[in-house]
Amino acid sequence: MHAERLRTGAKSGEHRLPLRASGLLEYGVEGQLILCEPSVEQVHFLNATAAAIWLLCDGRHTEADIVAELAALFNWDVPGVESDVRETLADFLRKGLLRAPPGYDA
Amino acid sequence: MPSSLALGTPPSPPDISVADWREEEFAVLNLRIALRTNEPGLADHLRTIFPGQEGVVATVPPGRQDYVVSCVRNQAHQRAYQVATGGRVVLRTWDRDALATYLERSICNAIAEHLGHRYVLIHAAALAHGGCGILFPGASGAGKSLTAAALAANGFQYFSDEVAVVTDDGRLRPFPKVISLKADGWRKLAEAFPFVAPAGGWLPSGEGGLYHLDPSHRLRSGGRWAGPPVRFIIVPSRRAGASTILEPLPKPAALTLLLEQSLNLRQLGTRAMGVLVRLVKESECFTLAAGSLREAGSLVARLTQLRGGPGLR
């Protein structure tokens, strides 16, 4: 459900505050961030871009903030980054890597 | 990820209800195995495949039996065998090779289960050279045993051809089994190293049986001995007739493979995950396409000597 809402247009989610799911173990291996559930049933490999988005999901950065930070970090154009961030956040939600941010169900 | 090693499909034949068996015991690490059989030479054959570890056997309390397996030959049908464990018939077969392979895999699994409470187990061959532990992870048929045999013949220390036993601080421990090779693998080994001779009293009668090699450098110290740290993870593949090539492998790809080949990741949970990540972080990772057994051995030996160098050809 949350993933669907995230896909509803570039502007609809820009004020949301994505927050990382708690309890995941994080390992850094050669430029990739590896997230492991405590049950070790699922292990997720994030490349540098996905890892940067993940680390910005701290409940304080809005989606718009994450887009701006990422664009600055990698020297990319904001319009091109928006859709990547939206899709990545939707993917995180689908995989249970994010908690529903405050106001998400409002 | 595999939870145990494949046992194969049990063939059908006869139901054996009466047999005049006797019990023989042998200890592997601190696991006591009882074999009830009427088949001459079988217990000695299994003792050769699973040699006891010096200094550890005495710690097994008298009378304790951790794994009991019965293997009886039908007195009326001289070639029919029946295997039972835990009071349940698990195999009936006419095929002596199938029987030997089944017993070997079955005992191998019992040992792995025993060790799996304490150590991280990976479906991998494990050897050491120059104080560096080397893992060769891979699914069945990837060439782990043949690679292990070729390297053991090149003077590497042998730890396992199938189940790598790793401590929490990333060191190898020996898995108490000699190297097992199918007929095709044995032929290739014998061509490359004519001096090798099969171990064990039972030699296979057909292509489906297993030959065994007892590496002269196999570690017998067992128990309290700490092995070398794992410093290389090399993924083997067979490329008969082609060049032998060693190429760097990205660490995340190596970790993915270790996760797939972990035998007790779910059992040990995040503890095993931490060990696997540590292994990858502290190791150099490669793929090895082995066209020639001799070349593969010398290439891996050079790699361990030139630790930290780029991919070699």
Side-chain angles (χ1 to χ4, degrees):
Chain A
M1 183 173 72
H2 301 307
E4 291 304 315
R5 289 184 183 181
L6 273 174
R7 288 200 204 95
T8 57
K11 301 296 180 189
S12 64
E14 66 181 2
H15 298 303
R16 291 172 185 151
L17 297 165
L19 183 60
R20 298 189 289 268
S22 59
L24 293 170
L25 300 174
E26 301 178 17
Y27 305 95
V29 175
E30 206 174 59
Q32 292 209 5
L33 180 64
I34 292 150
L35 304 177
C36 176
E37 297 173 4
S39 64
V40 300
E41 290 291 327
Q42 295 288 330
V43 179
H44 308 274
F45 288 70
L46 307 189
N47 63 19
T49 312
I53 295 172
W54 162 261
L55 294 171
L56 288 166
C57 293
D58 55 4
R60 296 196 305 270
H61 288 81
T62 64
E63 287 182 36
D65 293 337
I66 294 173
V67 169
E69 292 267 5
L70 215 64
L73 184 64
F74 292 103
N75 200 22
W76 290 336
D77 292 334
V78 168
V81 176
E82 280 176 342
S83 61
D84 286 348
V85 168
R86 208 165 50 244
E87 286 171 17
T88 304
L89 291 174
D91 192 43
F92 285 170
L93 273 171
R94 272 196 301 273
K95 291 173 176 168
L97 301 180
L98 290 183
R99 283 192 274 177
Y104 226 72
D105 294 316
Chain B
M1 61 198 79
S3 58
S4 61
L5 305 173
L7 289 173
T9 307
S12 20
D15 183 6
I16 303 168
S17 53
V18 180
D20 184 18
W21 50 263
R22 70 192 186 95
E23 183 170 292
E24 298 204 43
E25 281 189 351
F26 57 103
V28 183
L29 295 175
N30 57 350
L31 182 76
R32 192 179 290 280
I33 295 166
L35 176 68
R36 296 167 179 171
T37 185
N38 61 353
E39 181 64 17
L42 180 58
D44 286 341
H45 176 69
L46 292 174
R47 280 193 189 97
T48 305
I49 296 175
F50 300 100
Q53 302 291 292
E54 288 168 14
V56 180
V57 174
T59 65
V60 183
R64 192 186 89 187
Q65 292 178 333
D66 300 290
Y67 185 70
V68 180
V69 58
S70 71
C71 170
V72 292
R73 187 170 52 147
N74 191 324
Q75 302 300 302
H77 306 86
Q78 282 298 302
R79 290 175 55 230
Y81 298 98
Q82 176 171 292
V83 179
T85 183
R88 192 169 62 88
V89 175
V90 290
L91 176 70
R92 292 192 185 106
T93 182
W94 302 94
D95 185 346
R96 192 169 179 264
D97 289 346
L99 167 78
T101 302
Y102 187 90
L103 284 173
E104 177 177 332
R105 294 274 162 86
S106 173
I107 292 173
C108 200
N109 282 342
I111 296 168
E113 189 180 335
H114 180 70
L115 289 170
H117 298 290
R118 186 167 173 190
Y119 301 105
V120 173
L121 305 181
I122 303 165
H123 197 187
L127 295 103
H129 191 259
C132 296
I134 312 165
L135 288 181
F136 296 88
S140 296
K144 296 185 300 295
S145 294
L146 192 53
T147 303
L151 294 178
N154 266 302
F156 282 55
Q157 289 178 307
Y158 169 76
F159 286 77
S160 176
D161 71 332
E162 204 162 12
V163 180
V165 182
V166 182
T167 62
D168 283 2
D169 62 350
R171 290 175 178 274
L172 291 179
R173 299 293 300 268
F175 187 83
K177 186 182 84 66
V178 301
I179 298 172
S180 306
L181 290 168
K182 290 177 183 164
D184 182 47
W186 183 263
R187 275 195 294 272
K188 287 175 183 164
L189 184 72
E191 281 170 18
F193 304 98
F195 56 86
V196 297
W202 280 24
L203 292 179
S205 55
E207 287 293 305
L210 294 174
Y211 287 85
H212 299 95
L213 177 70
D214 189 0
S216 57
H217 290 258
R218 197 182 67 75
L219 301 172
R220 292 179 183 276
S221 46
R224 294 159 287 277
W225 184 77
V230 174
R231 289 291 177 257
F232 296 95
I233 296 169
I234 301 175
V235 182
S237 63
R238 290 178 178 173
R239 280 175 46 136
S243 309
T244 298
I245 303 172
L246 196 59
E247 291 181 311
L249 174 70
K251 287 178 186 255
L255 179 60
T256 301
L257 190 74
L258 290 190
L259 289 168
E260 288 170 354
Q261 298 304 325
S262 168
L263 293 170
N264 59 348
L265 177 63
R266 288 184 180 168
Q267 182 184 351
L268 297 185
T270 54
R271 179 182 143 204
M273 182 71 193
V275 172
L276 297 182
V277 169
R278 176 183 183 148
L279 289 179
V280 167
K281 279 185 166 182
E282 295 181 349
S283 300
E284 293 171 55
C285 306
F286 297 88
T287 58
L288 172 67
S292 151
L293 287 181
R294 281 192 172 274
E295 283 176 6
S298 59
L299 204 53
V300 176
R302 275 182 62 203
L303 174 69
T304 55
Q305 287 159 0
L306 303 170
R307 176 169 165 66
L312 303 170
R313 269 175 193 254

